[in-house]
Structures are given as structure tokens and as C-alpha cells.
Amino acid sequence: MWTLISATPSPYARKVRIALAEKGIPFTLQTEVPWDSTTKTKLYNPLEKLPVLILDDGKTAIYESHYIMEWLETKHPEPALLPPSIEIDDRLFAKKVEVVCDGICDALVLAFFEKQREPEKQSQPWAARQMRKADGGLQALATWVDNAQGANFLIGNQLTLADIAIGSMLGWFTLRFPDHLWQSQHPALKKYWEGLETRKSFAETRPSPQTLKDSIV
Ligand SMILES: N[C@@H](CCC(=O)N[C@@H](CS(=O)(=O)O)C(=O)NCC(=O)O)C(=O)O
């Protein structure tokens, strides 16, 4: 059986967990804290990041969430998360949505760890720059969701990679930055996300905080 190295808050890993659930692929969930010295990520991923999908041989590792999602869609096309029935430009748009969602997460991870530094070592301009990217990304997503006019799914009125990426990012955003006002700033995006969270594969993969044992910045 496959193993997925994951972390309880990870938006990147949640994309993969949702995809595996939607495709009905059984797997063992190996939950780790990738920032702690105890993590096994470096045994499988030279970039020392999770998620990592480890195949049946216990050695072959697929890593980098957007690549894992592409690999899964290629190897296990049914049920499709980029259905061929959706025209190619919309399937490419779904990947662009994933780029924006991953980019928001990347910026917020940098902002989160900037805040872990001793106050005198924190760079406010750097943290502000990351939050500006997150806000810009959120605005793009909000515009796309507004254009979908209340649909349950962003593209083709069916679940796609785009919905999985947005839902995974917003779930983590809300966990890690609970005071951010995105839900009042973007009510349609909030309503769309709440709808996604009722889906079984989302409800079963809700993020939760983790405690970092080692100091890393
Ligand atoms: N681009 C990567 C980012 C993955 C990533 O940053 N994972 C974090 C954990 S989490 O933020 O998703 O919870 C990690 O392993 N960080 C460890 C490290 O960066 O050394 C992906 O999409 O898979």
C-alpha cells in the first residue's frame, strides 16, 4: 500500500489527501512535523519537504504537491480531477488556480516563520511583502469565484483540481491566520469555501495545528 508523509496543518498535503480520497486510492497516512529533527522527509525528498507519496516498494517517492497531483491524474485518471470533458483552456486554468493557491501558501509560510524570529530580528517590510502577495492572490481567487456566480465548483460545475487547491489553502489560511479578514472582504469566496468543506473528502482532512519542537529560524 502507498504511504503519504503528511503534516496535520499542511495545505499542500491536504490537496493530495483529498485527491487520493476522491480517487478511492487506499494509503497509509504518516503524519510528521517536517521541521523537527525526527522527520523522515529527507530520506525520500532531497528538498526535505512533505507531502511525499511513497509507492508500494517503500522506496519510490513522488514529491512536490503539484507534481504529485499531476502524477496521480496521469496514473489514475478516473475519477478525473481534470476531466477531459472540460475544454483544455479550462483544465489549464485549473492548474493556474493551483499555482496561485500554492503561491499564497508559500508567501504565508515565509510570513509565519518571520514572526517566529526574535522581535529584533524580524523584518516588517519582508513580512508585509508576503502578506501583500497573499492578499493579491486572494483577490484573484475572489474574482474568479465571483465570476462563477455562486456555483458550487469553480469550473465545469464539477469538482476539479482548482476546488481542491482553493479549499486546502483557505482551510490552512484560516487556521494559521485566524484574525485575517478575508471572509468579510470576500463573502462569495467564503460561501464557496464553506460549500466545499461539506464534501466528505474535505470534511475528513480538515487541518489542525502542530507543535514544533525544534527552533528553526
Ligand atoms: N512546494 C511544496 C511545499 C511543501 C512545504 O512547504 N511543506 C512544508 C510543510 S507544510 O508547510 O506543508 O506543513 C515542509 O515540508 N516544510 C519543511 C521545510 O521546508 O524544510 C509543495 O507544494 O509540496
Side-chain angles (χ1 to χ4, degrees), residues 1-4 20-21 23-29 53 56 76:
M1 186 182 287
W2 294 352
T3 298
L4 179 70
L20 290 167
K23 290 180 180 286
I25 300 172
F27 67 100
T28 302
L29 187 66
L53 187 64
D56 290 341
H76 288 265

Side-chain angles (χ1 to χ4, degrees), residues 7 9-13 15 34-35 47-51 64-66 102 106 109 210:
S10 177
Y12 309 99
K15 285 193 293 182
W35 314 99
L47 305 174
E48 300 188 22
K49 287 179 179 273
L50 57 83
E64 190 61 30
S65 63
H66 71 83
D102 286 357
D106 295 344
V109 166
Q210 66 185 183

Side-chain angles (χ1 to χ4, degrees), residues 114 119 122-129:
E114 194 62 29
Q122 291 183 24
S123 164
Q124 291 316 317
W126 177 255
R129 182 183 184 85

Side-chain angles (χ1 to χ4, degrees), residues 183-203:
Q183 300 190 44
S184 53
Q185 288 164 346
H186 306 299
L189 181 62
K190 173 178 185 282
K191 185 169 179 296
Y192 156 80
W193 171 58
E194 287 170 343
L196 290 178
E197 287 290 351
T198 62
R199 193 175 176 95
K200 188 169 180 290
S201 60
F202 285 70

